[in-house]
Amino acid sequence: MRDLLALSALPAILQSYDPYQMADSIAAALVSMLDSEFVYISLHGTRDGPLIEIARADGRSAADSLEAIRAVLPEILPTLSSDRQLAVANPVGGGTASIAVAPIGLGGDSAIVVGSQRPDFPTPNERLLLGIAANEATVALQRWQAETEERTRQTEEELQLVIDTIPALVWSALPDGSVNFVNKRLIEYTGLPLEEVKGWGWTVSWHPADRATLLEKWRTALGAGNPFTLEARVRRADGEYRWFLCSTVPRHDDLGNIVTWYGTITDVEDRKRAEEAEKALHQAQADLAHLTRVSTLGELTSSIAHEVNQPLAAVVANANAALRWLGTQPPNLEEAQAALGRISRDGSRAGDVIRRIRALVKKAPPRKDRLDINEIIIDVIALTRSEVLRNGVSLETRLGRDLPPIRGDRVQLQQVILNFIINAIEAMSEVTERPRELAIDSGKDASTGVLVTVRDSGPGLEPESFDHLFDAFYTTKPGGMGMGLSICRSIIEAHGGQVQAANVPQGAVFQFSVPTAAS
């Protein structure tokens, strides 16, 4: 009766146990109840689980007991379906062991095997206890299997729900590349029936212009076993095409063979449109910057003409002089040679002016070259020299020595400096009570960049203009467009730098800093 009460408590104890813990608890109970030499339990048929073997024996470790009992199992297991009394050599001690076997209702070789040295083992009561234990084990394991299957089903449903609700089209494919699973979102987006999507039917939803590239890359990935990503257009159920990012990765088995391909297709239409809009904006800014340069050069027409006419007039004068020296008797070859040298020099001067003008007028995509900031400043000064002199401005330069090179676009940086110089000259046009002085400096800034400063002796900036000085369409000039300084800021920020303006005693200062090529 005591043993029956103990067995009746097993279901409550086994309720929270996994199969291994169940088998071990039942084995320990039977060793005590039946006063046996050993108890062996084998379990087959658990969901996707391996064979579970438990052995209990007094005075021996579980591992040693299990190894010893396995040796006599070939004699015992054939008796599972019979009530024949069986005795075998005691695997865990001397003498002979009487064997009682109770099948566990899971199929296969699942059973409880008990061995005892008593010749009368098992008695009817002991066989009853053993049968009850086997039945309880069967019930407990069946309940565990049902609960496990329910948990697995719930997990699969939750996983399916996650896959169906994540903001992406999800699919998987067999090793040969044929699709065998798609999530609900993909079906809803394409409007294609599931049977049409599976296999290779999914390709009909891709834009005809992208399909060949996609298939080529997909077949290449299948052959190499490598993941890949590709942007392409996918047709929506209403016929509209949108840009998507297709990403695919393989899953390998323990031997390195691909067993499944997993893929996601993520909508990137908004990003693509933003990129196109940004590209269009940059192009518009570049076009506007070009127009501003051309407009500025138009304002400098008389100064540029003077810059070109000076060396050309010198060329004509020296050519006439050379002719006269050659016409004397005897010809003065030394003077003629000197005149020809001056012609060459003045021709080069005129060519340099034209080169600088062409560079500024030329419409070309931005470049990222290694540049000497002082060379850029000198080029702009040469182009504006006549304008400086015509307006009675005294120009002073303090260019830093051994400045590190910067990386950027020469023409764009020339445009910034040109704009600062022209603005400074215009600001000083009404100054009559003091000298008109323009100072251009270059040097290292406080961090690792190069600093360029243009300072004038004009009336300075109005305090209320500081917050809007570099805004588009803000201007203090009559008839001005308000784009020059805005473009300057865009250029400098595109170079990773900053532009600033401030008042100084008797004037204003504009400056910009750009990082060095090394930084």
Side-chain angles (χ1 to χ4, degrees), residues 140-155:
L141 285 167
Q142 287 175 339
R143 182 177 62 248
W144 178 86
Q145 283 184 312
E147 292 173 351
T148 300
E149 289 173 356
E150 178 61 20
R151 286 194 297 269
T152 301
R153 185 188 64 79
Q154 291 178 357
T155 300

Side-chain angles (χ1 to χ4, degrees), residues 110-132:
S110 300
I112 300 175
V113 178
V114 182
S116 173
Q117 286 188 322
R118 292 190 356 253
D120 62 339
F121 180 83
T123 66
N125 286 339
E126 288 172 331
R127 191 175 291 279
L128 175 62
L129 288 173
L130 188 56
I132 293 172

